[in-house]
Amino acid sequence: MTTSRQAFYDALDAWIDAHFDDEVRYLQALVRVPTDTPPGNNAPHAARTAELLAEMGLHAESHPVPQAQVREYGLESLTNLIVRRRFGPEGSGPMIALNAHGDVVPPGEGWTHDPYGGEIAEGQLYGRASAVSKSDFASYTFALRALESLQASLHAAGTPLGGGVELHFTYDEEFGGELGPGWLLQQGLTKPDFLLAAGFSYQVVTAHNGCLQMEVTVHGKMAHAAIPDTGIDALQGAVTLLNALYARNAVYRGITSQVEGIQHPYLNVGRIEGGTNTNVVPGKVTFKLDRRMIPEEDPVVVEAEIRDTIAQAAAAFPGITVDVRRLLLARSLKPLPGNRPLVEALQRHGEAVFGETIPTSGTPLYTDVRLYGEHGIPAAIYGAGPRTVLESHAKRADERVALDDLRRATKVVARTLLDLLRTE
């Protein structure tokens, strides 16, 4: 008698329930190794993750990025991990990659729990990166292990698994992903058929914003504050540029994205530095801007418009010169048609496990997923977490993940893998 598909789903769920304490301990161990980026000394976390995986019978390939590239990038150390698990011969099914990033911004102030403690209180596990996205190191690892536990039963039922799964654990999402997934893809170390990346549990994200980051340096002429007319105030020049740039936000609010969950472009200046002392007319001021791009925008046009705005504003302030340098260009993610089997399976099992409709949406964030999309790999974003980034406290004090969300998301991912890899 053929075992029903639902029976296999139930078996996956039961395995995850039986091993959930182990999954939580694994996540706690990951949180307890800091991955603050900057400074980005993340090779030790990759080494610890590989040790923990080995204890579970999973071999992690270590792929250290050459140190010269890492230093030039602005980080200290970076090792990417790939776990490969093939269930059938090549051509027997798709290769599905699951990507989560371990790097995270420093904890900052205001914590009521140890940011590296992995403490559990009222059903929440606290710690920096507990939600974004070490939680999905855990959900993806244990989804794979649950799937492995069914191999014999599936074979006996005449529906063995085909294809395979890769776990991609990378460490530079905060810097744009170019030496994480970007490097793995560029080196030809992976070319999956589908990509699932770390996300939250109540929606499947299929599109996201792009991001352009630029450094603008305004040069004037230093002078004693008692005789300011002998200098050229770089700060006043910078204010002229900033006013012109911020005025663009009024225009951007009138540009509406057609992607659910994404509203309009936005420009933010996140860092300003300059001057030498209170009694000196500043001769140099530098600021860094972040321009979020909706999927409908062309990055080339956006960058040209920013540069033109700066040039026109600088021309209105005689004496200053301006240098503009691009720091990051992260293209937006647009849905690839081939992602439908992955997206529909996630939605179907999300609804079954969570008891509510799991919609597709876009997100105003930018992610490493775009790098897979640029290589033509159909992708989706789904994992363990709440309904919004705000609820997770990501990049804020007391970041946390609900253990119930972690448990249920692991089940959704395991069921989805089963659907995509089970041969009929």
Side-chain angles (χ1 to χ4, degrees), residues 82 101 189 224 245 316 353 373 402:
I82 300 179
H101 68 91
L189 293 166
H224 196 293
L245 289 167
V353 173

Side-chain angles (χ1 to χ4, degrees), residues 101-266:
H101 68 91
D103 60 306
V104 70
V105 298
E109 300 178 349
W111 287 74
T112 62
H113 297 266
D114 181 352
Y116 308 115
E119 299 172 10
I120 296 172
E122 298 181 348
Q124 306 268 354
L125 191 153
Y126 288 82
R128 180 51 91 220
S130 60
V132 183
S133 66
K134 290 177 182 177
S135 59
D136 284 327
F137 277 47
S139 65
Y140 293 169
T141 298
F142 275 74
L144 173 57
R145 292 188 65 199
L147 190 65
E148 287 183 320
S149 74
L150 282 191
Q151 284 187 90
S153 299
L154 288 163
H155 193 273
T159 57
L161 294 171
V165 174
E166 293 181 354
L167 304 180
H168 296 178
F169 294 150
T170 55
Y171 289 92
D172 74 327
E173 194 269 351
E174 298 293 345
F175 270 53
E178 297 293 345
L179 293 188
W183 189 82
L184 293 175
L185 291 161
Q186 185 182 50
Q187 297 296 312
L189 293 166
T190 184
K191 186 61 164 68
D193 298 294
F194 292 101
L195 182 280
L196 179 61
F200 290 162
S201 302
Y202 295 85
Q203 63 272 328
V204 180
V205 173
T206 57
H208 66 59
N209 273 350
C211 179
L212 171 67
Q213 293 182 353
M214 306 177 80
E215 181 183 77
V216 181
T217 302
V218 181
H219 301 276
K221 181 181 177 183
M222 291 173 60
H224 196 293
I227 46 173
D229 292 342
T230 63
I232 299 170
D233 192 330
L235 180 55
Q236 287 192 47
V239 169
T240 299
L241 271 59
L242 290 168
N243 286 336
L245 289 167
Y246 275 125
R248 300 300 301 162
N249 278 332
V251 177
Y252 299 153
R253 289 188 182 92
I255 304 172
T256 304
S257 176
Q258 300 303 305
V259 178
E260 183 71 27
I262 296 176
Q263 296 180 333
H264 55 74
Y266 192 78

Side-chain angles (χ1 to χ4, degrees), residues 215-219 238 241 283-287 321-325:
E215 181 183 77
V216 181
T217 302
V218 181
H219 301 276
L241 271 59
K284 186 174 86 169
V285 171
T286 298
F287 63 86
T321 60
V322 180
D323 297 326
V324 181
R325 181 168 69 97

Side-chain angles (χ1 to χ4, degrees), residues 10 34 45 81 140 165 246 326 400:
D10 292 343
H45 191 277
L81 301 178
Y140 293 169
V165 174
Y246 275 125
R326 182 206 293 174
R400 81 285 300 268

